[in-house]
Amino acid sequence: MTVSRRDFITTALAGSVAVGLSTDAGATQESSEKKNKEKHAAKLPIIICAANGYNYLDQAYAFLSGGGDTLDAALKVVQGPENDPNDESVGLGGHPNEEGVVELDACCMHGPTRTAGSVGGVRNIKNVSLLSNTVRLHTGHIMLVGEGAERFAVAQGFQRENLLTDKSRKEWLLWKETHSDWWGPGIDSPDWRKRFADPTRAGIDEDEWELRIRRMEQVAAEIGIPSGLRMEVIRCVIFPPTGTIHCSALNEKAEISGCTTTSGLAWKIPGRVGDSPIIGAGCYTDQDVGSAGATGNGEENIKVAGAHTIVENMRHGMSPLEAGMDALKRIVRNHNGDKERLQFVDMVYYILGKDGAYAGVSLWEGYETGKPHQIAVHDGNRRLEKTVNLFAGASQSWPPVRRLS
Ligand code: ASP
């Protein structure tokens, strides 16, 4: 993807404007819920996942249709992005932490046996989804983290490898030199406005963008980032892409499983663990009800135990869409409905009921206007569908871009 400076500034500012004009999608939600229910009539087997799993659905679907286990099918999907050095949100090539080290998180739940495994903050091991499954199968524990998880992986035959690609390393260098300011109030803090140059307003104007981008272009050139890639890399630094992949699979016997894997938030503080490996937040599967998973701001999702909340909502009779919307509304409630703050939260839920009904829901339409969040589905027909969003407009990245000194 090549992005010109002009496009970049325009789309970034357009995003802010769209947020400013956004209206609650509640009014349209009811009718889209109806449509969604009709559209999502059950067809088994079925696999749902985040959009970055789309290319890997065919082989996993063939495996599942041929009688393969539901968790093994989901793991087949998520290994695709884990092995792909160009997917910078998962596994090999994932964005590193603030010290330039890739740290991965994953978890899985196997519905038929009601078992789970999880790993957090794992370095040097690419397929952490498989590692979480190995924890499930070969230990009496549920969750292993850090060095212990890495040593366990090696003992189990996983290979240590360098997960930092040259591209990710250069992006990290650019971030380090121009943006490394994680410490300080987050959106949770009463002092959140202190992150802005002008604490009376949560935005920046076009001149500030121009200046900042120009400075970043200079640093990017010094680091050796080719000119054609510079705007794309700058975008990654300013708007660290959340990515991750969740996948849930359901077979004709109504057995269901799920897994989630990620390199987590780009440029995080070493040791930071997000929602992805947290059973009940990044993924939750209950053989009696269904399965759900999340991508987006892990911190916000942990506070509402998103995946578990959704499955419990379905247990009490909600459709996948209603269950997901309710979880999103809990995030909104945690910020007293303040959209000025919520514009910095991005959240997508992928939901599959035990009857095969499914939904993809998101807090905002996408990271950028015109590029909606999507859910990938395979029930014999592989496709991408736009998620149903609670708010109109695009989310913005946190921390906000600050005035150049
Ligand atoms: N949820 C992940 C985390 O917070 C990030 C993501 O989905 O991209 O670590």
Side-chain angles (χ1 to χ4, degrees):
M1 176 181 61
T2 313
V3 187
S4 73
R5 182 186 322 153
R6 196 198 173 122
D7 286 349
F8 181 79
I9 293 169
T10 313
T11 50
L13 286 169
S16 322
V17 171
V19 166
L21 295 176
S22 68
T23 51
D24 195 321
T28 53
Q29 190 187 318
E30 207 179 309
S31 63
S32 67
E33 278 182 23
K34 256 189 213 149
K35 269 192 229 141
N36 208 288
K37 271 187 201 150
E38 286 157 20
K39 194 170 70 173
H40 295 167
K43 217 172 154 206
L44 306 187
I46 180 170
I47 308 177
I48 63 156
C49 65
N52 49 348
Y54 178 78
N55 288 339
Y56 310 99
L57 277 174
D58 278 343
Q59 42 116 10
Y61 184 82
F63 171 81
L64 188 62
S65 310
D69 176 74
T70 47
L71 181 54
D72 289 338
L75 290 168
K76 277 186 189 300
V77 174
V78 306
Q79 273 174 78
E82 279 183 342
N83 293 335
D84 178 1
N86 297 314
D87 188 318
E88 294 183 310
S89 65
V90 186
L92 176 67
H95 279 126
N97 65 22
E98 69 174 2
E99 290 173 357
V101 181
V102 180
E103 283 183 340
L104 306 177
D105 303 329
C107 76
C108 64
M109 288 191 89
H110 187 244
T113 55
R114 299 177 191 273
T115 49
S118 161
V119 290
V122 180
R123 301 178 172 193
N124 304 314
I125 306 291
K126 178 173 63 181
N127 295 121
V128 280
S129 61
L130 296 183
L131 183 57
S132 73
N133 195 32
T134 306
V135 171
R136 177 181 79 86
L137 292 170
H138 296 287
T139 74
H141 305 312
I142 296 277
M143 187 172 202
L144 296 182
V145 301
E147 214 186 306
E150 184 181 336
R151 286 212 300 268
F152 172 74
V154 172
Q156 290 287 338
F158 287 78
Q159 296 235 310
R160 277 198 177 97
E161 56 191 294
N162 176 20
L163 304 179
L164 191 65
T165 56
D166 193 51
K167 183 162 180 276
S168 293
R169 186 180 62 80
K170 285 180 172 157
E171 287 175 3
W172 167 71
L173 282 177
L174 183 65
W175 174 81
K176 194 79 182 155
E177 204 158 320
T178 60
H179 267 75
S180 49
D181 61 351
W182 259 131
W183 291 22
I187 38 176
D188 253 7
S189 162
D191 288 334
W192 70 285
R193 284 178 181 279
K194 285 192 178 161
R195 297 302 290 263
F196 293 92
D198 176 357
T200 62
R201 67 188 180 95
I204 60 164
D205 61 34
E206 197 161 348
D207 288 350
E208 288 174 47
W209 271 109
E210 247 330 308
L211 269 176
R212 176 161 287 263
I213 306 294
R214 207 176 310 141
R215 157 114 206 282
M216 291 182 80
E217 277 182 301
Q218 276 163 13
V219 178
E222 283 158 25
I223 289 170
I225 296 170
S227 56
L229 273 183
R230 272 177 217 154
M231 289 320 296
E232 182 190 332
V233 172
I234 288 171
R235 178 180 284 277
C236 284
V237 168
I238 296 181
F239 302 120
T242 49
T244 306
I245 178 161
H246 167 79
C247 182
S248 289
L250 173 70
N251 66 15
E252 280 163 337
K253 291 186 271 177
E255 292 169 339
I256 191 164
S257 296
C259 60
T260 301
T261 176
T262 190
S263 54
L265 197 58
W267 336 126
K268 61 194 171 186
I269 295 174
R272 178 267 187 188
V273 172
D275 59 327
S276 306
I278 309 290
I279 308 280
C283 179
Y284 193 76
T285 305
D286 186 316
Q287 181 53 48
D288 295 337
V289 181
S291 183
T295 62
N297 290 90
E299 283 73 8
E300 293 302 322
N301 191 36
I302 290 171
K303 288 190 294 184
V304 297
H308 183 261
T309 294
I310 289 168
V311 171
E312 287 308 299
N313 282 344
M314 292 197 288
R315 190 193 307 279
H316 295 117
M318 287 189 198
S319 70
L321 185 71
E322 290 162 345
M325 282 294 168
D326 174 72
L328 291 173
K329 285 174 189 166
R330 293 183 194 212
I331 293 174
V332 173
R333 172 65 190 86
N334 280 347
H335 292 280
N336 294 319
D338 178 1
K339 280 196 191 163
E340 204 186 355
R341 206 189 275 219
L342 284 162
Q343 68 178 308
F344 298 109
V345 177
D346 182 72
M347 187 57 60
V348 185
Y349 290 120
Y350 311 86
I351 308 155
L352 180 59
K354 196 189 160 187
D355 60 357
Y358 68 91
V361 302
S362 55
L363 187 58
W364 297 96
E365 200 178 324
Y367 302 127
E368 290 171 40
T369 37
K371 284 196 188 165
H373 286 303
Q374 292 177 313
I375 178 173
V377 183
H378 203 326
D379 58 3
N381 167 29
R382 185 179 63 148
R383 58 195 180 272
L384 285 166
E385 293 181 5
K386 189 182 163 318
T387 56
V388 179
N389 46 302
L390 184 63
F391 296 151
S395 58
Q396 303 293 301
S397 232
W398 181 266
V401 178
R402 294 197 288 177
R403 194 181 293 276
L404 283 175
S405 49

Short mmCIF file of all heavy atoms in Angstrom, two decimals, residues 89 105 241-245 260 262-265 268 272-277 294-299 301 347 367, ligand 1:
data_model
loop_
_atom_site.label_atom_id
_atom_site.label_comp_id
_atom_site.label_asym_id
_atom_site.label_seq_id
_atom_site.Cartn_x
_atom_site.Cartn_y
_atom_site.Cartn_z
N SER A 89 0.35 -8.05 12.94
CA SER A 89 -0.41 -8.04 14.19
C SER A 89 -0.39 -9.39 14.88
O SER A 89 -0.97 -9.55 15.95
CB SER A 89 -1.86 -7.64 13.91
OG SER A 89 -2.50 -8.62 13.12
N ASP A 105 0.76 -13.32 22.50
CA ASP A 105 -0.27 -13.82 23.43
C ASP A 105 -1.25 -14.70 22.65
O ASP A 105 -1.58 -14.38 21.50
CB ASP A 105 -1.13 -12.67 23.99
CG ASP A 105 -0.33 -11.58 24.69
OD1 ASP A 105 0.71 -11.89 25.29
OD2 ASP A 105 -0.79 -10.41 24.66
N PRO A 241 -1.47 -0.28 14.25
CA PRO A 241 -2.61 -1.09 13.84
C PRO A 241 -2.88 -2.17 14.88
O PRO A 241 -1.96 -2.88 15.28
CB PRO A 241 -2.16 -1.70 12.52
CG PRO A 241 -0.67 -1.59 12.52
CD PRO A 241 -0.28 -0.52 13.47
N THR A 242 -4.11 -2.25 15.34
CA THR A 242 -4.48 -3.42 16.12
C THR A 242 -4.85 -4.45 15.06
O THR A 242 -5.25 -4.10 13.96
CB THR A 242 -5.66 -3.15 17.06
OG1 THR A 242 -6.68 -2.51 16.32
CG2 THR A 242 -5.24 -2.29 18.23
N GLY A 243 -4.69 -5.67 15.36
CA GLY A 243 -4.98 -6.68 14.35
C GLY A 243 -5.50 -7.91 15.05
O GLY A 243 -6.66 -7.97 15.37
N THR A 244 -4.59 -8.82 15.34
CA THR A 244 -5.00 -10.04 16.06
C THR A 244 -5.85 -10.91 15.16
O THR A 244 -6.39 -10.44 14.16
CB THR A 244 -5.79 -9.66 17.35
OG1 THR A 244 -5.02 -8.78 18.13
CG2 THR A 244 -6.17 -10.86 18.19
N ILE A 245 -5.97 -12.16 15.51
CA ILE A 245 -7.00 -12.98 14.85
C ILE A 245 -7.70 -13.86 15.88
O ILE A 245 -7.07 -14.49 16.71
CB ILE A 245 -6.43 -13.82 13.68
CG1 ILE A 245 -7.55 -14.67 13.07
CG2 ILE A 245 -5.23 -14.66 14.07
CD1 ILE A 245 -7.28 -15.19 11.69
N THR A 260 -7.70 -17.41 19.89
CA THR A 260 -7.30 -16.04 19.55
C THR A 260 -5.78 -15.94 19.69
O THR A 260 -5.22 -16.50 20.63
CB THR A 260 -7.98 -15.03 20.52
OG1 THR A 260 -9.40 -15.18 20.40
CG2 THR A 260 -7.62 -13.59 20.20
N THR A 262 -2.20 -13.18 18.92
CA THR A 262 -1.82 -11.79 18.61
C THR A 262 -0.39 -11.46 19.00
O THR A 262 0.19 -12.15 19.85
CB THR A 262 -2.75 -10.82 19.38
OG1 THR A 262 -2.56 -9.49 18.92
CG2 THR A 262 -2.48 -10.84 20.87
N SER A 263 0.14 -10.41 18.39
CA SER A 263 1.39 -9.82 18.92
C SER A 263 1.02 -8.66 19.84
O SER A 263 1.89 -7.99 20.37
CB SER A 263 2.29 -9.35 17.78
OG SER A 263 1.59 -8.47 16.93
N GLY A 264 -0.27 -8.44 20.01
CA GLY A 264 -0.73 -7.42 20.96
C GLY A 264 -0.55 -6.02 20.43
O GLY A 264 -0.27 -5.80 19.24
N LEU A 265 -0.71 -5.11 21.31
CA LEU A 265 -0.61 -3.70 20.95
C LEU A 265 0.82 -3.37 20.54
O LEU A 265 1.76 -3.70 21.27
CB LEU A 265 -1.01 -2.91 22.19
CG LEU A 265 -1.39 -1.47 22.04
CD1 LEU A 265 -2.56 -1.31 21.09
CD2 LEU A 265 -1.74 -0.93 23.42
N LYS A 268 4.02 -1.70 22.94
CA LYS A 268 3.58 -1.81 24.34
C LYS A 268 4.76 -1.86 25.31
O LYS A 268 5.89 -2.17 24.91
CB LYS A 268 2.75 -3.08 24.49
CG LYS A 268 3.53 -4.37 24.17
CD LYS A 268 2.62 -5.57 24.00
CE LYS A 268 3.39 -6.77 23.47
NZ LYS A 268 2.52 -7.91 23.14
N ARG A 272 3.48 -6.20 29.09
CA ARG A 272 2.04 -5.90 28.96
C ARG A 272 1.34 -7.09 28.30
O ARG A 272 1.76 -7.58 27.27
CB ARG A 272 1.84 -4.65 28.11
CG ARG A 272 0.37 -4.25 27.87
CD ARG A 272 -0.18 -4.84 26.59
NE ARG A 272 -1.52 -4.33 26.27
CZ ARG A 272 -2.28 -4.81 25.28
NH1 ARG A 272 -1.84 -5.79 24.52
NH2 ARG A 272 -3.47 -4.31 25.04
N VAL A 273 0.26 -7.54 28.92
CA VAL A 273 -0.54 -8.60 28.32
C VAL A 273 -1.94 -8.03 28.09
O VAL A 273 -2.50 -7.38 28.97
CB VAL A 273 -0.59 -9.83 29.25
CG1 VAL A 273 -1.59 -10.85 28.74
CG2 VAL A 273 0.79 -10.48 29.34
N GLY A 274 -2.45 -8.23 26.90
CA GLY A 274 -3.78 -7.70 26.57
C GLY A 274 -4.88 -8.71 26.85
O GLY A 274 -4.73 -9.60 27.69
N ASP A 275 -5.95 -8.57 26.13
CA ASP A 275 -7.12 -9.43 26.35
C ASP A 275 -7.00 -10.78 25.65
O ASP A 275 -7.62 -11.76 26.07
CB ASP A 275 -8.39 -8.74 25.83
CG ASP A 275 -8.30 -8.40 24.34
OD1 ASP A 275 -7.19 -8.11 23.86
OD2 ASP A 275 -9.33 -8.42 23.66
N SER A 276 -6.18 -10.84 24.58
CA SER A 276 -6.20 -12.03 23.71
C SER A 276 -5.97 -13.35 24.45
O SER A 276 -6.63 -14.34 24.15
CB SER A 276 -5.20 -11.88 22.57
OG SER A 276 -5.43 -10.67 21.90
N PRO A 277 -5.02 -13.42 25.41
CA PRO A 277 -4.81 -14.71 26.07
C PRO A 277 -5.69 -14.88 27.31
O PRO A 277 -5.58 -15.90 28.01
CB PRO A 277 -3.35 -14.65 26.49
CG PRO A 277 -3.12 -13.21 26.81
CD PRO A 277 -4.01 -12.42 25.87
N ALA A 294 -12.39 -11.50 20.37
CA ALA A 294 -12.29 -10.05 20.20
C ALA A 294 -10.98 -9.63 19.55
O ALA A 294 -9.96 -10.30 19.69
CB ALA A 294 -12.38 -9.38 21.57
N THR A 295 -11.02 -8.50 18.84
CA THR A 295 -9.82 -7.78 18.45
C THR A 295 -10.08 -6.31 18.79
O THR A 295 -11.22 -5.86 18.78
CB THR A 295 -9.50 -7.91 16.95
OG1 THR A 295 -10.57 -7.34 16.19
CG2 THR A 295 -9.33 -9.35 16.53
N GLY A 296 -9.02 -5.60 19.09
CA GLY A 296 -9.18 -4.19 19.44
C GLY A 296 -8.49 -3.87 20.75
O GLY A 296 -7.57 -4.59 21.17
N ASN A 297 -8.94 -2.81 21.42
CA ASN A 297 -8.29 -2.37 22.67
C ASN A 297 -8.46 -3.39 23.79
O ASN A 297 -9.52 -3.48 24.42
CB ASN A 297 -8.88 -1.04 23.15
CG ASN A 297 -8.48 0.09 22.25
OD1 ASN A 297 -9.18 0.39 21.28
ND2 ASN A 297 -7.37 0.72 22.53
N GLY A 298 -7.38 -4.12 24.05
CA GLY A 298 -7.46 -5.20 25.03
C GLY A 298 -7.86 -4.72 26.41
O GLY A 298 -8.63 -5.38 27.12
N GLU A 299 -7.34 -3.56 26.80
CA GLU A 299 -7.62 -3.06 28.15
C GLU A 299 -9.12 -2.85 28.34
O GLU A 299 -9.69 -3.21 29.38
CB GLU A 299 -6.85 -1.75 28.40
CG GLU A 299 -5.36 -1.92 28.69
CD GLU A 299 -4.51 -2.29 27.47
OE1 GLU A 299 -5.03 -2.30 26.33
OE2 GLU A 299 -3.32 -2.58 27.66
N ASN A 301 -11.52 -4.29 26.71
CA ASN A 301 -12.23 -5.57 26.63
C ASN A 301 -12.10 -6.37 27.91
O ASN A 301 -13.04 -7.05 28.34
CB ASN A 301 -11.71 -6.38 25.44
CG ASN A 301 -12.58 -7.58 25.16
OD1 ASN A 301 -13.80 -7.52 25.31
ND2 ASN A 301 -11.96 -8.67 24.77
N MET A 347 -13.01 -1.67 18.97
CA MET A 347 -13.35 -3.02 19.45
C MET A 347 -14.19 -3.74 18.43
O MET A 347 -15.14 -3.18 17.87
CB MET A 347 -14.12 -2.90 20.78
CG MET A 347 -14.38 -4.20 21.47
SD MET A 347 -12.87 -5.12 21.83
CE MET A 347 -12.02 -3.96 22.88
N TYR A 367 -11.09 1.59 11.22
CA TYR A 367 -10.00 2.50 11.62
C TYR A 367 -10.03 3.76 10.77
O TYR A 367 -9.51 4.79 11.14
CB TYR A 367 -8.63 1.84 11.41
CG TYR A 367 -8.43 0.56 12.15
CD1 TYR A 367 -8.01 -0.58 11.50
CD2 TYR A 367 -8.66 0.50 13.52
CE1 TYR A 367 -7.82 -1.76 12.18
CE2 TYR A 367 -8.48 -0.69 14.21
CZ TYR A 367 -8.05 -1.81 13.52
OH TYR A 367 -7.88 -2.98 14.19
N1 ASP B 1 -6.63 -7.06 21.48
C1 ASP B 1 -5.21 -7.01 21.24
C2 ASP B 1 -4.52 -6.54 22.47
O1 ASP B 1 -5.01 -5.67 23.14
C3 ASP B 1 -4.82 -6.11 20.15
C4 ASP B 1 -5.53 -6.28 18.87
O2 ASP B 1 -6.62 -6.81 18.79
O3 ASP B 1 -4.97 -5.88 17.86
O4 ASP B 1 -3.42 -7.01 22.72
#
